[in-house]
């Protein structure tokens, strides 16, 4: 079926498209645009934090994430145990982003001969700590050699009632844009770790200077998934109209909600919750503090929208901040700076504040 029947020579390299031309999201769109769904049970396929599958009295949520050494993690400063924990947590976070309960996961690894058995023991101990904390059953996986480096692929399931599931696509103009916790610290933690790595490369005798940055480094190396927010919503009697987890920057996640919900947005820069220490650190690094949140990523907090009528219910809740609202699509996607300037939001942060 896949034979080259005409015996045509392969296309010349010059006619081929470099992956970098499309970027990650462009590539996903291109590869998945011919996808057809054959089963009515598949309520939601590609395009959200998890797929949604009808299972009779409830729905099954299904999501997968791949972590590649040198792309997603750097073993010069990430301990194996933390890596395992994070690999599990980033998947659990995708179930939280659908307003579901995480249930089972599979873990597949490919490791080169560079790795010891003890290193992989540590990796698994981290995975299992996360499984215990979030009550997820590890039910399978696959193991392979690799020519170079370590690759970890985790697939997770979760459950929810059909009417409980929150998609990226449900936001309407006027809905309030909210975020859990604080943002930007994971990015500052990464900068500290990268800085100390450089120092170490120049002078291997030096001890890393990590004191004073515990919160930021913890946010980077040991993120948590906000599975608690589902219960908070239940307690408040709120159902968000849309939701996504913040794995990339806040800006890029807001744009995802706008794209899938077909809305515009207005984000207020001064409302973005940023830890005081992180803010101070950003200034020391000569970075505009809000950029750590807008473009940093890896905080694994939840970004969601609620109807304006729910404002009274959430305004006093500790750990939830209203950062803006959705608008009609024709109004565009903007951030308002503290001095009242309106700047266009882009996946990198914003335009026009050079
Ligand atoms: P997340 O950041 O929540 O992990 P992604 O941005 O990676 O989500 O993916 C967006 C959507 O595209 C998801 O529904 C995901 O399942 C789907 N997707 C990503 N890569 C592929 C692929 N290679 N083939 C099919 N679907 C994909
Ligand atoms: Mg996600």
């Amino acid at each position: 079926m896949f034979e080259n029947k005409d015996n045509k020579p392969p296309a010349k390299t010059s006619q081929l498209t470099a992956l970098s031309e499309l970027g990650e999201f462009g590539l996903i769109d291109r590869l998945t645009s011919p996808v057809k769904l054959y089963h009515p049970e598949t309520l939601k396929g590609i395009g959200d934090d998890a797929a949604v599958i009808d299972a009779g009295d409830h729905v099954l949520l299904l999501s997968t994430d791949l972590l590649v050494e040198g792309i997603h993690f750097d073993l010069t400063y990430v301990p194996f145990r933390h890596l395992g924990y994070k690999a599990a947590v980033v998947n659990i976070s995708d179930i939280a982003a659908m307003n579901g309960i995480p249930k089972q996961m599979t873990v597949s690894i490919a490791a080169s001969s560079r790795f010891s058995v003890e290193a992989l023991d540590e990796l698994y101990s981290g995975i299992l700590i996360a499984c215990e904390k979030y009550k997820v059953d590890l039910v399978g996986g696959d193991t392979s050699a690799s020519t170079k480096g370590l690759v970890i692929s985790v697939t997770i399931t979760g459950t929810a009632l059909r009417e409980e599931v929150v998609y990226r696509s449900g936001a309407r103009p006027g809905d309030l844009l909210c975020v859990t916790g604080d943002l930007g610290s994971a990015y500052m933690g990464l900068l500290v770790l990268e800085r100390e790595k450089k120092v170490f490369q120049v002078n291997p005798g030096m001890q890393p200077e990590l004191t004073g940055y515990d919160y930021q480094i913890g946010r980077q190396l040991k993120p948590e998934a906000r599975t608690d927010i589902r219960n908070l919503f239940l307690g408040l009697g709120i159902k968000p109209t849309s939701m996504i987890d913040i794995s990339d920057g806040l800006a890029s996640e807001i744009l995802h909600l706008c794209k899938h919900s077909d809305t515009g947005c207005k984000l207020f820069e001064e409302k973005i919750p940023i830890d005081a220490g992180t803010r101070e650190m950003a200034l020391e690094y000569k970075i505009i503090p809000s950029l750590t949140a807008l473009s940093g990523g890896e905080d694994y907090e939840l970004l969601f929208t609620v109807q304006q009528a729910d404002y009274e219910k959430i305004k006093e809740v500790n750990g939830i901040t209203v950062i803006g609202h959705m608008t009609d699509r024709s109004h565009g996607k903007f951030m308002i700076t503290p001095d009242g300037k309106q700047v266009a939001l882009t996946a990198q942060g914003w335009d026009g504040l050079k």
Side-chain angles (χ1 to χ4, degrees), residues 108-326:
S108 301
I109 52 168
S112 75
S113 55
R114 186 179 120 227
F115 296 96
S116 66
V117 173
E118 287 74 14
L120 299 182
D121 278 345
E122 278 290 294
L123 179 78
Y124 265 69
S125 76
I127 294 172
L128 295 181
I129 292 169
C131 284
E132 185 176 6
K133 170 155 189 187
Y134 292 95
K135 297 288 171 284
V136 172
D137 296 338
L138 177 54
V139 295
D142 200 9
T143 307
S144 166
S146 138
T147 49
K148 201 166 170 262
L150 178 65
V151 177
I152 309 164
S153 168
V154 178
T155 298
I156 189 156
T157 68
T159 57
L161 297 177
R162 190 166 169 161
E163 60 276 15
E164 287 175 337
V165 178
V166 179
Y167 296 90
R168 294 178 178 180
S169 55
R172 294 294 166 259
D175 286 357
L176 302 172
L177 189 59
C178 309
V179 74
T180 63
D182 58 69
L183 302 176
S185 297
Y187 178 69
M188 287 316 299
L190 180 66
L191 290 193
V192 175
L193 292 166
E194 288 281 349
R195 183 189 70 186
E196 292 310 311
K197 176 185 167 185
K198 284 207 189 92
V199 172
F200 183 79
Q201 280 168 339
V202 174
N203 186 350
M206 289 272 281
Q207 284 298 310
E209 187 48 72
L210 301 175
T211 44
Y213 303 115
D214 300 19
Y215 180 62
Q216 289 76 17
I217 291 170
R219 292 283 279 171
Q220 170 59 224
L221 292 183
K222 194 173 171 288
E224 302 294 351
R226 299 307 306 266
T227 47
D228 55 317
I229 296 299
R230 180 189 147 91
N231 287 330
L232 182 88
F233 290 144
L234 280 174
L236 293 170
I238 287 180
K239 187 189 173 196
T241 52
S242 71
M243 188 150 65
I244 188 168
D245 67 333
I246 305 181
S247 49
D248 300 332
L250 173 65
S252 135
E253 311 299 2
I254 292 178
L255 294 179
H256 281 312
L257 289 189
C258 289
K259 178 181 163 203
H260 290 276
S261 297
D262 202 24
T263 65
C265 68
K266 218 168 232 190
L267 164 71
F268 294 91
E269 186 179 5
E270 63 197 344
K271 303 276 189 207
I272 301 173
I274 298 171
D275 168 78
T278 294
R279 195 177 284 278
E280 219 170 277
M281 250 182 98
L283 293 172
E284 277 166 31
Y285 274 74
K286 309 234 179 307
I287 298 170
I288 301 169
S290 64
L291 263 188
T292 65
L294 286 161
S295 343
E298 295 202 280
D299 294 301
Y300 294 99
E301 295 293 341
L302 296 176
L303 172 74
F304 60 95
T305 54
V306 295
Q307 292 178 348
Q308 265 183 40
D310 290 328
Y311 178 64
E312 290 300 318
K313 291 186 189 162
I314 59 158
K315 69 172 192 208
E316 302 293 347
V317 178
N318 249 336
I320 289 192
T321 314
V322 180
I323 56 173
H325 57 86
M326 304 309 254

Side-chain angles (χ1 to χ4, degrees), residues 24-25 28 31-32 45-49 63-65 94 168 245 247-248 256:
E24 182 191 341
F25 298 126
I28 295 174
L31 296 179
T32 61
I46 291 157
D48 218 302
D49 292 290
S63 182
T64 192
D65 257 308
D94 276 322
R168 294 178 178 180
D245 67 333
S247 49
D248 300 332
H256 281 312

